[in-house]
Amino acid sequence: MAKYLIVGASAAGIAAVEAIRKVDPVGTITVITEEACAHYSRPMISDLVSGKADLQKMKCKAEGFWKENNAEARLDKKVVSLNLSDKTVTLEDGEKVNYEKLLLATGGKPFVPKMEGQEKEGVFTFTNISDAQRLAAKIDALNAKSAVVIGAGLIGISVTEALIKRGIKVTVVELQEKILSLLLDAKASDIVEAVIRKAGVNFATGQSVQKIIGKPENDGAVGGVILTKGNQVPCDLVIVAIGVIPRTELVAGTAVKLNRGIIVDNFMQTSAPDVYASGDVAEAYDFILNQNRLLPLWPLAVLEGRIAGCNMAGAKTSYEGGTNMSSLKYFGIPIVSIGLANPKDDPTIEVIVKQDIENNVYKKLVLKNNMIVGITLVNCIDRAGILFNLMKSQVNVKRFKQNLLRDDFGWAFLPVTLQRKMSVVQ
Amino acid sequence: MHKRRGTSRVDAHLRTLTWKNEGLKMKKIIAKQEACMGCGLCEVYCTTQHSKSKDIIKAYNSEYPKPIARIRREVNKPVSFAIQCRHCEDAPCVTACLSGAMTKDSKTGEVTHNKDKCMGCWTCVMVCPYGALIMDKEGKVAAKCDLCQGLAEPACVANCPNQALVFKEVKP
């Protein structure tokens, strides 16, 4: 019997443990994860493949985390079913665990479309540490020379960089015409694509993989792919990085309401009493779109997990929301993208752009009724957080918007009232 | 009208930032805008303090990786002041950090950055409302004010020629 039961020990689950302990120092906490390794940084798995990080570096909490928080961690245990009326979950080995409050922080799983040949040796997904470990081991075992990455989003670009660092030739296949299309507009995407091409990456945009073929000497091992336009790309490895879908299996067929992810209110509570959900599995509030939706991002999972933990422990706390926000470090061209990158035509929308193409610098703000609703910064992201804060706090920027994209932009260009509020100056 | 709305939202934001206010008092560096001449010596002394040699000439001319200032002089004439980490009570950089490099010391209140854990993803740069996270482009990790641990007074405060930086106890 656990007073608080958490399924999943990544960003949301871990943040919930800490939040519960802030409110309730004694109630029993049990965290169950199917992974053998808990509280590691998932975004760092590409550094594991490139050799830049090891397991020790990837741990985002100290060794004593469970003890300090007086929580029981049950690693390598898979929860297979949920019974809402008994308030129990059942593990794979048949064991039942009761709860008073349950948090589903089960995360997402990679989306893999049906492709002929996808069962071949050498096809990988890339979302957790075991994916990364298996990929790294395969690269060594095969002495792999070339790879095809399917998907030019955040994960696809991160794994591409890791492979390039390992000396592997990479072709990225992307169904959209532009890379990073969920984060960037066409112009920014072109700048970034050119930089990545210079690093030796090939792109095949506007198409997908129709078939994975075997090696001539071993049909069971990946030897190449055939693209939808018919051309063939030889490779030793295929990495599928199209996106993640919420792991909602546990609540299927229960009273917990589902859309694409688990539907939660602003307290991270699901439609079932005493059941909460956070992180990639949940559809939480987006303050720019003013609606709930899937936003599978680490920092938001932490915030959501924290809100769930507070509410589970009885401290009513409301989630202020997040939005699509990513910071990318890959290929030496830092990028920040927050909120709307490609706004729809709307008379209340204003777009301000500043660019320095020679230096691959591109900055764009999307304003709606003089409030920031979109930030894109390419190769010049210093002090991006000041803009993000203006966005989040819905500050009207009408009087100083001409300053926002200055190279030396900072707090000195903001009104004194704001400076004082934030104790920037005395 | 607009301004009122803007600032009231900032209030709301600040309130949420202090969700775990434990009444911890700590000394913070605050700028006195009217006293700042914009000379930039705070940046120079900060750079030197964070160099290996602690020698101003070597720090600027020969050290690799190049030491960098964690304080930044902002100038919008005639206004100038210096800004660095505010060690927020509920620091956005700590919650957003993808690697666990950024932590809040529950005893001292200091927001600390462990560069060995940092993966240089710049998520902290994206969320810091003060723009106080500096990108160490050579080291490919973030850098920030550490209040010059070990010194009686941070180097920027001690060396400001016009006492435009004060180190004093403030409520979070």
Side-chain angles (χ1 to χ4, degrees), chain A residues 99-239:
Chain A
Y99 63 83
E100 277 177 40
K101 305 276 179 189
L102 174 69
L103 173 63
L104 298 167
T106 47
K109 63 183 170 199
F111 171 65
V112 183
K114 285 234 174 317
M115 285 175 287
E116 200 182 326
Q118 69 190 102
E119 72 295 338
K120 290 192 196 303
E121 190 66 27
V123 180
F124 293 86
T125 53
F126 201 68
T127 51
N128 61 32
I129 195 163
S130 57
D131 294 335
Q133 285 165 332
R134 274 185 281 122
L135 176 60
K138 192 76 181 170
I139 291 170
D140 291 337
L142 282 181
N143 193 16
K145 295 279 187 287
S146 58
V148 164
V149 173
I150 309 176
L154 206 56
I155 300 173
I157 296 301
S158 79
V159 71
T160 297
E161 193 203 46
L163 294 169
I164 290 287
K165 282 185 176 162
R166 295 285 303 255
I168 293 169
K169 201 169 146 43
V170 183
T171 302
V172 179
V173 182
E174 168 59 53
L175 187 60
Q176 303 297 321
E177 293 297 333
K178 299 286 176 192
I179 72 164
L180 295 166
S181 60
L182 291 177
L183 299 179
L184 302 177
D185 66 11
K187 186 98 194 168
S189 176
D190 286 343
I191 294 170
V192 176
E193 184 180 324
V195 168
I196 301 178
R197 273 185 195 277
K198 260 195 187 152
V201 176
N202 290 317
F203 285 98
T205 53
Q207 50 190 326
S208 62
V209 168
Q210 54 160 305
K211 188 178 176 185
I212 299 170
I213 53 175
K215 283 195 193 311
E217 69 278 11
N218 176 8
D219 191 53
V222 169
V225 300
I226 296 174
L227 303 181
T228 38
K229 286 180 185 166
N231 39 332
Q232 191 173 324
V233 183
C235 63
D236 303 319
L237 303 163
V238 172
I239 294 99

Side-chain angles (χ1 to χ4, degrees), chain B residues 9 25 28 56 69 74 79 93 96 126 133 137 148 171:
Chain B
R9 292 297 181 120
K25 271 189 174 181
K28 295 188 182 184
I56 197 165
E74 289 209 6
V79 171
C93 59
M126 173 170 72
L133 272 306
K137 284 165 189 158
C148 289
K171 272 191 184 166

Side-chain angles (χ1 to χ4, degrees), chain B residues 2-171:
Chain B
H2 284 315
K3 197 175 116 196
R4 275 184 62 113
R5 179 164 183 202
T7 47
S8 71
R9 292 297 181 120
V10 171
D11 274 349
H13 182 51
L14 284 175
R15 274 199 303 275
T16 58
L17 280 180
T18 55
W19 76 288
K20 57 175 182 182
N21 189 334
E22 286 147 359
L24 185 75
K25 271 189 174 181
M26 68 177 290
K27 275 177 132 182
K28 295 188 182 184
I29 305 167
I30 307 286
K32 287 199 282 188
Q33 183 248 299
E34 69 285 358
C36 177
M37 306 177 291
C39 68
L41 278 175
C42 49
E43 291 179 351
V44 173
Y45 282 96
C46 180
T47 304
T48 308
Q49 180 59 31
H50 292 94
S51 68
K52 278 182 215 132
S53 62
K54 309 270 190 282
D55 177 280
I56 197 165
I57 305 291
K58 285 184 191 151
Y60 273 82
N61 287 341
S62 60
E63 274 192 30
Y64 184 88
K66 214 171 151 58
I68 53 168
R70 289 96 197 279
I71 187 168
R72 196 170 53 86
R73 166 188 49 165
E74 289 209 6
V75 184
N76 178 13
K77 282 179 181 163
V79 171
S80 67
F81 52 81
I83 189 164
Q84 71 292 85
C85 174
R86 289 308 195 248
H87 301 274
C88 302
E89 182 59 21
D90 179 20
C93 59
V94 174
T95 33
C97 180
L98 302 186
S99 69
M102 211 66 86
T103 48
K104 175 94 180 165
D105 188 313
S106 58
K107 291 188 185 72
T108 64
E110 193 198 342
V111 173
T112 56
H113 175 252
N114 178 348
K115 72 173 171 29
D116 296 330
K117 283 206 90 65
C118 181
M119 63 186 282
C121 65
W122 314 130
T123 304
C124 52
V125 174
M126 173 170 72
V127 300
C128 174
Y130 295 98
L133 272 306
I134 313 286
M135 297 165 73
D136 179 348
K137 284 165 189 158
E138 276 179 13
K140 297 194 170 126
V141 288
K144 68 181 289 298
C145 168
D146 55 5
L147 296 169
C148 289
Q149 294 304 329
L151 296 189
E153 211 173 32
C156 57
V157 177
N159 293 289
C160 177
N162 212 29
Q163 288 160 10
L165 289 167
V166 288
F167 190 46
K168 63 175 190 183
E169 204 162 81
V170 286
K171 272 191 184 166

Side-chain angles (χ1 to χ4, degrees), chain A residues 102-392:
Chain A
L102 174 69
L103 173 63
L104 298 167
T106 47
K109 63 183 170 199
F111 171 65
V112 183
K114 285 234 174 317
M115 285 175 287
E116 200 182 326
Q118 69 190 102
E119 72 295 338
K120 290 192 196 303
E121 190 66 27
V123 180
F124 293 86
T125 53
F126 201 68
T127 51
N128 61 32
I129 195 163
S130 57
D131 294 335
Q133 285 165 332
R134 274 185 281 122
L135 176 60
K138 192 76 181 170
I139 291 170
D140 291 337
L142 282 181
N143 193 16
K145 295 279 187 287
S146 58
V148 164
V149 173
I150 309 176
L154 206 56
I155 300 173
I157 296 301
S158 79
V159 71
T160 297
E161 193 203 46
L163 294 169
I164 290 287
K165 282 185 176 162
R166 295 285 303 255
I168 293 169
K169 201 169 146 43
V170 183
T171 302
V172 179
V173 182
E174 168 59 53
L175 187 60
Q176 303 297 321
E177 293 297 333
K178 299 286 176 192
I179 72 164
L180 295 166
S181 60
L182 291 177
L183 299 179
L184 302 177
D185 66 11
K187 186 98 194 168
S189 176
D190 286 343
I191 294 170
V192 176
E193 184 180 324
V195 168
I196 301 178
R197 273 185 195 277
K198 260 195 187 152
V201 176
N202 290 317
F203 285 98
T205 53
Q207 50 190 326
S208 62
V209 168
Q210 54 160 305
K211 188 178 176 185
I212 299 170
I213 53 175
K215 283 195 193 311
E217 69 278 11
N218 176 8
D219 191 53
V222 169
V225 300
I226 296 174
L227 303 181
T228 38
K229 286 180 185 166
N231 39 332
Q232 191 173 324
V233 183
C235 63
D236 303 319
L237 303 163
V238 172
I239 294 99
V240 185
I242 295 171
V244 292
I245 47 176
R247 295 193 54 181
T248 55
E249 307 90 280
L250 280 182
V251 299
T254 70
V256 175
K257 279 196 186 130
L258 269 178
N259 187 27
R260 289 173 64 201
I262 297 174
I263 297 173
V264 292
D265 61 16
N266 277 355
F267 305 99
M268 292 296 144
Q269 190 164 359
T270 69
S271 57
D274 301 322
V275 180
Y276 295 76
S278 295
D280 294 6
V281 76
E283 290 190 9
Y285 182 62
D286 181 324
F287 66 82
I288 292 295
L289 299 187
N290 195 23
Q291 65 181 49
N292 283 39
R293 66 149 165 162
L294 292 173
L295 279 169
L297 298 166
W298 181 279
L300 299 184
V302 172
L303 289 172
E304 292 165 26
R306 172 200 275 191
I307 298 294
C310 287
N311 290 308
M312 288 163 77
K316 197 114 174 129
T317 313
S318 175
Y319 181 47
E320 54 180 359
T323 191
N324 196 16
M325 48 189 279
S326 294
S327 162
L328 281 71
K329 61 163 181 166
Y330 307 105
F331 295 97
I333 181 163
I335 302 167
V336 161
S337 165
I338 312 172
L340 303 181
N342 292 298
K344 292 195 184 85
D345 274 339
D346 174 344
T348 63
I349 291 267
E350 180 188 357
V351 174
I352 323 175
V353 173
K354 193 174 174 215
Q355 51 187 328
D356 170 4
I357 293 301
E358 214 169 288
N359 293 308
N360 292 323
V361 170
Y362 179 80
K363 303 198 268 189
K364 166 168 145 177
L365 291 180
V366 181
L367 309 181
K368 188 175 168 66
N369 299 322
N370 287 307
M371 287 183 281
I372 302 172
V373 291
I375 302 169
T376 302
L377 303 171
V378 176
N379 215 17
C380 183
I381 66 165
D382 297 289
R383 301 178 292 288
I386 301 178
L387 295 172
F388 176 54
N389 188 51
L390 295 175
M391 174 197 239
K392 213 176 165 197

